[in-house]
Each structure stands twice: as structure tokens, then as C-alpha cells.
Amino acid sequence: MAFFYRTSLAACLMAAACTISSQAATVSSGAFQTAEVGPGVSSLSPGDTYSEYQWGLENDGSLQLVEIRRRFTNGGSAYDSPTDGPHSGLPIPAGPGDYEVLTTNATPGVDINIAPAWELYDASQTNRDVVVAVIDTGVDILHPDLRESIWTNDDEIPGDGIDNDGNGYTDDYFGWDFFYNDASVFSMGSDEDTHGTHVAGTIAAGRNNGGVAGITGSQHVKIMVLKALGTSQGMGSPEDVIAAIRYAEANGASICNLSFCSNALSQELADTIQNSNMLFVVAAGNGDENGVGLDIDSSPTYPASLPFDNVITVSNLMFDGSLDSSSNYGAVSADIAAPGTYIVSTIPGGYGFLSGTSMAAPMVTGAAALLYSYRTDFSLTDVRNAILGSARQMDTLTGKVSSGGMLDVGAALQWTKQAV
């Protein structure tokens, strides 16, 4: 049994910042291009060059997505295969099949309502420090938007070849690579750590320091980098994920982001999550082999379908208020929706767009970390209750996610703790 992520690298803001390998393309859920990229939210974080592209922070309705799908026939059945659109500057690939052009226009206000949350958070003098474990591919710890956001193990002396803190991991100053079993949490010059770097940036990229604006910023929230997935396809094993979870809890993490899935259940992994004191935010998954979203109540995927009180499972919301067609859902198993299509964040050496429930989950992870930092009277159970209890109700999400709504960070920070 192996875990994998399936997401799409749709475009880059910096042409030299990323490449799309043929291997990565085989596991992508869609390739998107837009006519207008972003709603213009630079006023939220004016020091960040690319914050205007971050539609998930604020949406004024100006965003438009053009998706080109080519219709193929395979064994007598038709299925959709995404291709590069006209705005990419690339020709539509030649070959058999019909083409379908789908245009999606944004609905104003379909965003995570971050402005009032930041206003409250920035005015507080009592915010606590929070460590978030990103169990994923590696993270570019040298990225200028992430350098101040990375957790360090201060009980370890980096590079001396000694396990100074006696935890069984030598030189684990920045975390640990469980995939290759060494202290290197980032593969320099490789594209295999794009996914984890993107996730980390959504959660905690520094604000007003250039680039993008992470939900928490870098002052009080730190990313513990635990690489459990590798190769350009983002493959990994339950054993490595279990080891990463145990490391995270032993070394002070409170919240874990798990942007991956498998169709097979590992009982040991399930038990590890259930018995942990941490809060887990999990991607719902990106549909079947044709990229069509599944009801994970009847077609479970893991860890998304685990019915535990310390798990939040997140579906991918489009900017028109509907679920992305590739997003998994479930009236019981999926908890909430968050922006996940065409999300701009950090990638090794620059900034790029990715799409999928892998991008929706860190939106909720960032919100959970911000809330836990701000509300020092909250337990992690309170954090989960607040996020789900304050979800903005939407008709399009009724029967799709248990909360019936989308992430609303501003409302979560003002949520009233329920009396027992």
C-alpha cells in the first residue's frame, strides 16, 4: 500500500521557477489556465508581490477560469483528459477526440474571510507559538518566503554527525526525511519537493516580505518539515507516515497537515492518528482515475474517511462556490470545503499555481494554527469545533460536507466556546 498525492501544476508566476515533468503530468488531476489571474487583494498584504493572485484570501468576483478538455475514447468509453489552454501560449495538442471549453466565473465573497482574522490576530499581544507538522514531500527551507517559518530542533547541533538529543535521529535540526531516511528535508535541484513547499507556503509564508502571504505568517507559527513522500509522483508508505506522526508529536507539533490519500486502509496508521493528541487536517482526495470526485462515505479513501474527532477532512472549493469536479466529498466523511483550485504559493525557487484537495487542506491547517495561536483558551478540540461550527453555510455544499459550509477564518477567530 502506498500513499500518493494527485494535484496539478497549472502555471508559474516565474517562468524559470518550475518545470512539469512527464511523470508529474501522469498523476495530475487537471491543467488549468486563466484569462484573469486573481482578484486583486494586494491591500491585504501590500508587501507581498503576488498576494494579488491569492483569490482564496479575498474574492471580488473578477477571477475567470478557462478549462480545455479533450474527449478521448478508450475501450469504448469516453473520458476527459485536460490539456493546456489557449492562455498558456502553447498549442492544443493534436490527436483524436473532441474539445470542450468550460468557463467558470467567480462569485464575489467566496473566500476565507482573512482580513478580519488578521486584524484581530495582529492586535493581540498574547499569541502563543504553534508548531505545524507538514508530512508530505520535502520543503524548500531556503525559500525567502519560508526561511523564517521553518521549525528547528534546538536540542540538535546541525551537521556534527551526532544524535545530540538522543531521539534516534542524527542531525535532525530541520526535521527528518523518512522517505530517504536522512536529515535532508529538501532535495536541491529536484522537482519532487514542489508539493510540500506549496503546502508550507499556504500555511505560513511570511507576510509583507515579498512573494505570497501565508495564512499565519511566520512570527508565531513554524513548519516542522517531515518528508514522508518522494519521487516526482509523491509516493510514500504508511510506515513512513506513522514514523513521521510519532516524531511530530514527540517533538512538539500540535497540528499535522496530511495532503495525500490511499484507497487502502492501514489499521496501524488509523490507530496512530486516533491515539494522537494532535489535530490532523486531511485532504479529501481528487476523485477516481478520470479525475471525477467520489463520495468517500461509500467509496472511502484514507486517511480522509477516518471517523475520528481529531481529524478535519477538507474538500476543494471553486471560486464560484461549487466543489471542483475532481474533489471528493461526503456528507459524513468530509467536514468542510476550502479554496483548492488554482492556488498560488511557494515552490522551490519561486512561486506557482497548484490545484487539488492538497491545496484546500493547508488552507484549513493555516486557519487552525492561527486560531490555536490566537485563542489561548482553546484546546485543539475547541479549534476543530470552532472551524466547523463557524463554517459559512452554502447551498452548494449541503449534503457534500458535514458542516454544510466553507472555511471562514474571521468567523472562527470570533467563535464562542460552547459550554459543556
Side-chain angles (χ1 to χ4, degrees):
M1 169 180 154
F3 290 105
F4 68 93
Y5 66 81
R6 184 166 61 188
T7 187
S8 76
L9 182 53
C12 290
L13 290 172
M14 299 171 61
C18 66
T19 58
I20 307 175
S21 72
S22 59
Q23 284 183 301
T26 63
V27 296
S28 70
S29 61
F32 301 110
Q33 301 292 335
T34 83
E36 295 182 43
V37 184
V41 299
S42 57
S43 61
L44 288 178
S45 191
D48 290 302
T49 310
Y50 297 122
S51 66
E52 64 182 305
Y53 298 106
Q54 294 184 263
W55 78 264
L57 300 182
E58 188 173 271
N59 177 12
D60 67 2
S62 67
L63 188 63
Q64 182 185 64
L65 186 75
V66 178
E67 182 181 356
I68 311 295
R69 289 186 180 272
R70 183 167 58 173
R71 203 81 174 160
F72 289 93
T73 299
N74 181 23
S77 62
Y79 66 96
D80 286 334
S81 178
T83 68
D84 289 311
H87 303 288
S88 68
L90 301 174
I92 295 176
D98 299 322
Y99 294 93
E100 182 180 17
V101 179
L102 304 174
T103 302
T104 303
N105 293 309
T107 298
V110 178
D111 57 63
I112 64 173
N113 192 27
I114 197 68
W118 280 351
E119 184 176 353
L120 289 169
Y121 189 79
D122 292 348
S124 173
Q125 301 298 313
T126 59
N127 297 327
R128 65 177 150 191
D129 294 339
V130 176
V131 177
V132 176
V134 171
I135 301 177
D136 206 292
T137 69
V139 173
D140 181 359
I141 59 176
L142 301 178
H143 196 291
D145 236 344
L146 293 175
R147 281 187 302 225
E148 301 301 319
S149 306
I150 303 300
W151 170 86
T152 55
N153 179 3
D154 293 334
D155 293 327
E156 194 77 10
I157 299 172
D160 69 351
I162 300 171
D163 180 13
N164 304 105
D165 59 3
N167 68 353
Y169 299 94
T170 300
D171 290 335
D172 56 321
Y173 186 71
F174 292 108
W176 191 256
D177 183 340
F178 292 89
F179 189 83
Y180 294 112
N181 194 33
D182 60 34
S184 175
V185 295
F186 174 58
S187 300
M188 188 76 71
S190 168
D191 65 353
E192 72 175 77
D193 293 329
T194 295
H195 193 266
T197 303
H198 197 277
V199 165
T202 295
I203 298 168
R207 279 199 279 140
N208 288 311
N209 68 343
V212 293
I215 291 173
T216 69
S218 59
Q219 184 175 1
H220 291 288
V221 175
K222 303 299 180 183
I223 299 295
M224 180 185 288
V225 183
L226 301 176
K227 182 172 178 175
L229 306 179
T231 78
S232 61
Q233 294 185 346
M235 305 298 293
S237 70
E239 292 76 18
D240 286 346
V241 173
I242 290 166
I245 290 172
R246 290 172 176 162
Y247 180 100
E249 189 156 19
N251 289 277
S254 302
I255 301 167
C256 275
N257 189 94
L258 306 180
S259 285
F260 52 78
C261 61
S262 172
N263 293 328
L265 171 64
S266 162
Q267 190 59 53
E268 185 181 2
L269 175 61
D271 293 342
T272 301
I273 291 174
Q274 185 176 25
N275 295 329
S276 173
N277 292 316
M278 295 185 294
L279 176 65
F280 294 84
V281 182
V282 179
N286 301 318
D288 59 18
E289 63 274 11
N290 298 323
V292 178
L294 298 171
D295 183 343
I296 58 174
D297 291 342
S298 56
S299 300
T301 186
Y302 301 99
S305 295
L306 295 176
F308 303 147
D309 291 339
N310 61 341
V311 172
I312 301 176
T313 296
V314 188
S315 295
N316 173 6
L317 188 74
M318 288 282 288
F319 38 76
D320 65 351
S322 63
L323 286 183
D324 188 279
S325 61
S326 69
S327 177
N328 289 350
Y329 58 91
V332 176
S333 299
D335 294 304
I336 196 169
T341 296
Y342 219 73
I343 303 301
V344 63
S345 184
T346 49
I347 61 173
Y351 304 88
F353 295 95
L354 291 175
S355 293
T357 58
S358 285
M359 283 58 256
M363 291 275 182
V364 176
T365 300
L370 191 78
L371 178 58
Y372 193 46
S373 177
Y374 175 70
R375 292 293 298 269
T376 56
D377 59 320
F378 271 19
S379 67
L380 290 170
T381 298
D382 294 329
V383 168
R384 184 180 189 272
N385 291 340
I387 287 173
L388 300 184
S390 64
R392 191 182 316 148
Q393 299 299 295
M394 303 179 71
D395 292 342
T396 54
L397 298 177
T398 301
K400 299 291 187 180
V401 297
S402 65
S403 68
M406 71 168 292
L407 176 66
D408 188 322
V409 189
L413 263 67
Q414 299 177 73
W415 189 77
T416 301
K417 186 174 179 178
Q418 305 300 301
V420 178

